[in-house]
Amino acid sequence: EDRQGVSTSRRPTRLTPPRETYTMISARTAAIRAAASPRPQLLRTLASTPQDLPRITERRPGETGRGGKASDAGVKVAVFGATGFLGRYVCSNLGANGTMVYIGNRGDEFSHRHLRTMFELGRSKFSFYSSRDTQSMADVIADADVVINLIGKYYDTKALEDTNKFPYLNYKVSTSIHEANVEVPAKIAELCTDMQVDNLIHVSSAAANPESSSEWARFKYEGEQEVLKAYPWATIVRPTQLFGHEDRLLNWFANFADRFPFVPLVDGGHALTQPVWVDDVARAINRIVDQPEMFEGRRLDCFGPQDYSYAELAKFTNDITGQDPNLVDLPSDVMKYPARILQFEGNPMLTPDLVNLMSEDYLPELSEEGYANQLQKDKIFTMKDLGVTATPIEKIAFKYLHRFRKGGHFILQSGYH
């Protein structure tokens, strides 16, 4: 793949599966900013970028609590999309550092109860809101110093409704991907401006591209532009595909092999992706929260240490799970036929738009050398600039994929039976 600053030579085309002996291992602003452009940035070199963020790890003079989770970080953060994959890790990191967090929730108590244990008593507030009720969203933000938007959706949420004509039922779209990825982020940004919120962190995607064949990727880019239009000093976070216990990447391959005798590879699975561990992204976001002024109007790109093709990831997953499905090369046009059926699942495993996304490279904008050689004035930050080292996928994948093994993870060890 020929990208800016990228060598055309590729690394070995094989992931090394883990060995069987692998161990199981802000004050608030007084008035709204007068200018509609970012304020002067705190331009720092990589060497002077603080490497020990976040700072709330030990009890400091005048601080309440014993340090860490029991501390008072002196910052209030409102989080939209906290119940999602990345959201729970962001909340966990915020809670572990004594941050007061306001969590917006569109469901019932059961959809966010797992987040309560991440905070000391009195350090979190859960508020119901509707994305079509501006006042309820303002109630979530309240007096927050920082707002984090993690809302995103890759498919239209649909529900059945009665009709007067046969077959008397119809699928209606309750929340479209345009609303989730463009309209809602724009509304949050507008509220942040109107309510004089100090900082806004908007999580987008490395796939955001106005020229993408994927509607989701185009909407992610449009969402970024709408946020920056309403709140120009927002911090944009662009992660590549996330991997982790609840991911839709490696789990996708394993679940597909569990349900069907084959795993389809769109256009041979030759497209590249550079997955990043979800907790690394959450830690990076937490470090932005600790010193948000440094990142106003800037972008943070999050990506893993290595790129892989989807075919390589499929084989890697099978090496861990012991599954042996047929890996079938399907052209994207053919793959869309079953996708048109599977898209009607409650939480669809495959949609026609996902097929489009899987047929394109899902990579950071620059190479490692390209990011290192940037001009400081227009620098795009990476996790390395924040002191976060990208975790290799091989170190994490085994911890949550072994459950797909027949007989579990003890089957290959003696002394358990």
Side-chain angles (χ1 to χ4, degrees), residues 153-170:
K153 216 169 188 66
Y154 69 94
Y155 62 94
D156 293 335
T157 302
K158 298 181 179 181
L160 283 172
E161 66 174 352
D162 295 330
T163 62
N164 295 324
K165 297 180 179 180
F166 183 82
Y168 308 110
L169 288 175
N170 179 54

Side-chain angles (χ1 to χ4, degrees), residues 268-288:
H270 297 304
L272 301 177
T273 183
Q274 195 163 336
V276 58
W277 189 30
V278 61
D279 198 45
D280 287 342
V281 179
R283 288 168 57 205
I285 292 174
N286 198 36
R287 298 189 178 195
I288 295 176

Side-chain angles (χ1 to χ4, degrees), residues 162-393:
D162 295 330
T163 62
N164 295 324
K165 297 180 179 180
F166 183 82
Y168 308 110
L169 288 175
N170 179 54
Y171 258 119
K172 69 174 182 178
V173 175
S174 54
T175 303
S176 68
I177 60 173
H178 185 272
E179 181 179 3
N181 296 295
V182 181
E183 297 173 24
V184 174
K187 187 178 294 185
I188 292 174
E190 291 167 359
L191 280 171
C192 287
T193 299
D194 295 340
M195 298 177 69
Q196 304 173 25
V197 175
D198 290 336
N199 301 96
L200 169 63
I201 301 172
H202 172 68
V203 178
S204 181
S205 169
N209 185 347
E211 304 299 326
S212 174
S213 63
S214 167
E215 188 177 44
W216 177 84
R218 296 197 302 270
F219 287 160
K220 276 297 183 182
Y221 178 83
E222 186 180 347
E224 284 185 15
Q225 302 310 304
E226 291 298 319
V227 167
L228 292 174
K229 185 187 300 182
Y231 195 102
W233 45 91
T235 301
I236 303 296
V237 179
R238 279 188 168 192
T240 52
Q241 282 182 295
L242 304 175
F243 70 86
H245 284 68
E246 306 88 359
D247 71 33
R248 296 186 59 85
L249 181 59
L250 300 186
N251 277 319
W252 186 91
F253 291 112
N255 279 316
F256 215 104
D258 236 13
R259 294 178 59 182
F260 306 100
F262 69 95
V263 173
L265 298 177
V266 180
D267 294 332
H270 297 304
L272 301 177
T273 183
Q274 195 163 336
V276 58
W277 189 30
V278 61
D279 198 45
D280 287 342
V281 179
R283 288 168 57 205
I285 292 174
N286 198 36
R287 298 189 178 195
I288 295 176
V289 170
D290 192 59
Q291 198 171 12
E293 298 84 3
M294 178 180 176
F295 304 95
E296 290 182 344
R298 307 298 286 271
R299 200 177 94 195
L300 169 68
D301 284 4
C302 302
F303 47 89
Q306 185 64 62
D307 58 56
Y308 308 100
S309 70
Y310 287 104
E312 291 172 327
L313 290 178
K315 295 174 184 177
F316 173 61
T317 300
N318 295 336
D319 285 339
I320 297 176
T321 64
Q323 297 167 310
D324 190 27
N326 292 317
L327 299 181
V328 182
D329 177 0
L330 289 179
S332 57
D333 290 340
V334 174
M335 187 70 173
K336 289 179 182 179
Y337 287 111
R340 291 190 182 101
I341 298 175
L342 294 174
Q343 67 176 332
F344 291 104
E345 291 183 308
N347 189 17
M349 176 177 287
L350 194 63
T351 68
D353 194 62
L354 270 179
V355 174
N356 288 334
L357 187 64
M358 295 174 71
S359 66
E360 299 178 350
D361 289 344
Y362 201 142
L363 299 167
E365 185 174 321
L366 307 174
S367 67
E368 185 175 354
E369 295 81 5
Y371 284 107
N373 295 329
Q374 295 177 93
L375 296 176
Q376 193 65 30
K377 180 180 179 181
D378 301 314
K379 178 180 177 65
I380 298 174
F381 289 100
T382 65
M383 296 193 303
K384 185 177 181 180
D385 297 316
L386 279 68
V388 177
T389 302
T391 304
I393 196 170

Side-chain angles (χ1 to χ4, degrees), residues 32-110:
I32 193 169
R33 295 165 173 83
S37 58
R39 296 180 295 177
Q41 306 302 317
L42 299 176
L43 302 177
R44 304 185 180 191
T45 61
L46 177 59
S48 64
T49 300
Q51 300 294 308
D52 57 346
L53 296 174
R55 61 179 182 271
I56 314 301
T57 54
E58 298 180 356
R59 184 169 183 261
R60 297 174 296 172
E63 186 177 74
T64 60
R66 300 167 295 176
K69 185 175 181 179
S71 292
D72 181 357
V75 60
K76 301 172 183 177
V77 179
V79 181
F80 290 91
T83 57
F85 178 29
L86 176 58
R88 66 180 66 197
Y89 290 86
V90 170
C91 287
S92 178
N93 278 269
L94 291 173
N97 289 281
T99 305
M100 179 67 191
V101 179
Y102 305 150
I103 296 174
N105 174 50
R106 297 189 303 129
D108 58 21
E109 190 272 341
F110 291 98

Side-chain angles (χ1 to χ4, degrees), residues 102-131:
Y102 305 150
I103 296 174
N105 174 50
R106 297 189 303 129
D108 58 21
E109 190 272 341
F110 291 98
S111 65
H112 64 249
R113 66 188 310 174
H114 63 285
L115 301 178
R116 293 185 181 275
T117 58
M118 299 176 182
F119 304 93
E120 190 74 8
L121 289 175
R123 303 305 300 163
S124 61
K125 183 182 77 172
F126 296 82
S127 302
F128 175 81
Y129 79 96
S130 168
S131 59

